Amino acid sequence: VSESLRTVVLDLGLVSPERICVLGSGSANGIDLDRFRPTGPERKKGVRDALGVPSDARVVAQVGRLCADKGLFLIPEVASRLTQESDVHFLLVGGVDQSDEQSLASLDALRAMPRVHLLGHTDSIEDIYSAADVLLLLTRREGLGNVLLEASASGIPVVATTATGTVDAVIDGVTGSLVPFEVGTVVDAVHSYIDEPARARTVGLAGREFVEDRFEQRAVWHRWIGFVDGSALGRRRDARAHR
């Protein structure tokens, strides 16, 4: 589902190059551009009111499973630094990995912080993007960073750690920022958007165009249909050749 994942699979020697490919720019299902789209201030205010977040706050969101692989051990320090400013709120969205004791300790620290909102799992993730000014994804690995693409389609800048799958979902410096796994660098990247609304709008628009161009859902579906149909045709030809 991404070029960087293909590279890892080849580097590990799991498959020969002729037996693996990436369709288009990747993705298994594409992004629904009607569901994930930029929204106006009225909807943003409505979602924030429901979450208990002031309409004039600066809002950072991280979306994903709450576990070490999603950088949960780093989030308390990142959130602490960001929310030292009284108008910054941090939204943490995703289900908890109950088997990870370090992550459970990190969650306890986050619950004690003001202006940090632990929202759990949601089926209305588009509302989170509507409420946020920037999406953060601290991750060690992805197949393809779908939440980054959803946020970009929603017109907000993204900040992600450089990892397999994220590097295919962000154009660094254009649709967002790719950063190392280091608290200070992460916080600085987030501030470059929440402190500069004009820059954030420009990057958000570029993100929307990026997803429209490469990951529109129906275009991805058509690539998969063409691949499956072509593979089936190839199998039928092979079967006839071996009769």
Side-chain angles (χ1 to χ4, degrees):
V1 291
S2 69
E3 282 290 346
S4 61
L5 184 59
R6 177 182 182 274
T7 298
V8 169
V9 169
L10 290 174
D11 287 347
L12 291 172
L14 299 178
V15 69
S16 57
E18 65 272 13
R19 293 181 62 83
I20 186 170
C21 68
V22 178
L23 303 182
S25 295
S27 181
N29 193 42
I31 302 299
D32 184 341
L33 295 175
D34 291 325
R35 180 182 180 191
F36 300 106
R37 65 187 190 281
T39 54
E42 187 173 326
R43 185 181 180 205
K44 182 183 288 287
K45 182 180 184 306
V47 174
R48 288 188 175 190
D49 286 349
L51 296 174
V53 175
S55 59
D56 60 349
R58 294 178 293 170
V59 178
V60 181
Q62 161 123 348
V63 174
R65 289 182 301 113
L66 303 183
C67 61
D69 268 355
K70 299 293 186 180
L72 186 56
F73 59 92
L74 208 65
I75 290 176
E77 189 173 353
V78 169
S80 176
R81 291 198 191 184
L82 289 171
T83 58
Q84 284 176 0
E85 299 174 55
S86 60
D87 66 335
V88 177
H89 286 244
F90 195 98
L91 310 181
L92 191 57
V93 183
V96 179
D97 183 351
Q98 298 289 345
S99 66
D100 185 343
E101 291 185 6
Q102 183 184 23
S103 292
L104 294 177
S106 296
L107 287 172
D108 287 339
L110 287 161
R111 289 188 184 98
M113 293 182 190
R115 296 179 299 283
V116 173
H117 307 258
L118 275 67
L119 303 177
H121 172 78
T122 178
D123 291 322
S124 301
I125 195 62
E126 62 271 22
D127 288 343
I128 303 303
Y129 304 135
S130 294
D133 295 306
V134 60
L135 179 81
L136 178 63
L137 182 62
L138 305 181
T139 183
R140 294 181 183 274
R141 59 180 175 82
E142 301 289 321
L144 178 68
N146 278 316
V147 297
L148 299 169
L149 297 175
E150 292 169 356
S152 289
S154 303
I156 63 173
V158 297
V159 174
T161 42
T162 304
T164 302
T166 65
V167 295
D168 311 86
V170 183
I171 303 177
D172 188 32
V174 178
T175 69
S177 300
L178 291 169
V179 296
F181 235 101
E182 195 277 318
V183 171
T185 309
V186 170
V187 171
D188 288 345
V190 171
H191 269 294
S192 74
Y193 299 116
I194 62 175
D195 292 348
E196 300 181 41
R199 179 172 185 252
R201 283 192 294 273
T202 298
V203 170
L205 288 172
R208 174 73 183 186
E209 291 174 1
F210 169 62
V211 178
E212 288 177 340
D213 181 54
R214 301 192 191 185
F215 298 99
E216 192 276 325
Q217 190 169 62
R218 290 187 177 277
V220 171
W221 289 351
H222 283 302
R223 291 186 197 113
W224 278 100
I225 290 168
F227 173 75
V228 171
D229 286 350
S231 296
L233 179 61
R235 287 194 296 272
R236 289 195 294 272
R237 285 174 175 166
D238 286 346
R240 287 196 297 270
H242 287 89
R243 283 175 182 170

